[in-house]
Amino acid sequence: LCSGSAALSPRSGSSITEGIGQGRVTANLRPDIDLLDGYLHIPDEHSIEMVYRCLDKEGLYLGTSSALNVVAARDVTRKLGRGHMVVTILCDGTYRYADRLFSRQWFESKMLLGAVPKHLEKYIVLH
């Protein structure tokens, strides 16, 4: 990664993506924390938008963790510029979260309906 500092600072807040935004460094990461170049903060709205964009444009049925990784890879690629290779992992699928990610009621309860581009709201099929 190319922004932030390897000395991760605690942050408050939460995320719809499980395990993200908890404001802590887990025991399995702690021994290798100095190997990090930095970190990125990816807002939930950007992850949601990418879930729907990948579904519509690429036919990829990604979960929010994978979508978050795609957003981060895109942002890092833009910062690094041409001539660099950025790799990410698509680690989950929407099938695990379909009851949420395709539910108008859920989006409204989280005040995230606006994160779904208007032309992609056609995929919100649950009420």
Side-chain angles (χ1 to χ4, degrees):
L1 300 176
C2 65
S3 69
S5 163
L8 296 179
S9 57
R11 59 181 290 274
S12 61
S14 62
S15 174
I16 60 163
T17 304
E18 294 175 13
I20 302 291
Q22 296 174 343
R24 63 183 168 87
V25 176
T26 58
N28 62 331
L29 178 60
R30 189 167 284 112
D32 297 322
I33 196 80
D34 292 334
L35 298 174
L36 297 177
D37 294 326
Y39 60 94
L40 298 172
H41 169 74
I42 307 297
D44 287 336
E45 292 83 359
H46 295 189
S47 297
I48 295 290
E49 181 181 3
M50 190 59 73
V51 164
Y52 279 83
R53 183 204 167 282
C54 286
L55 176 61
D56 189 63
K57 299 291 184 192
E58 309 295 339
L60 296 172
Y61 199 57
L62 302 180
T64 53
S65 294
S66 293
L68 182 142
N69 289 350
V70 172
V71 172
R74 180 200 61 202
D75 291 355
V76 168
T77 299
R78 287 176 177 167
K79 288 180 182 186
L80 293 176
R82 291 187 176 273
H84 294 88
M85 181 181 298
V86 175
V87 178
T88 193
I89 297 173
L90 304 181
C91 54
D92 65 345
T94 308
Y95 58 88
R96 292 183 64 193
Y97 317 102
D99 60 329
R100 292 180 253 169
L101 291 178
F102 299 109
S103 168
R104 181 170 300 280
Q105 182 180 9
W106 184 83
F107 277 120
E108 288 172 349
S109 74
K110 300 293 183 185
M111 296 185 293
L112 287 170
L113 186 58
V116 179
K118 286 288 184 199
H119 71 286
L120 299 179
E121 285 186 14
K122 63 187 177 189
Y123 294 114
I124 302 175
V125 294
L126 303 175
H127 295 281

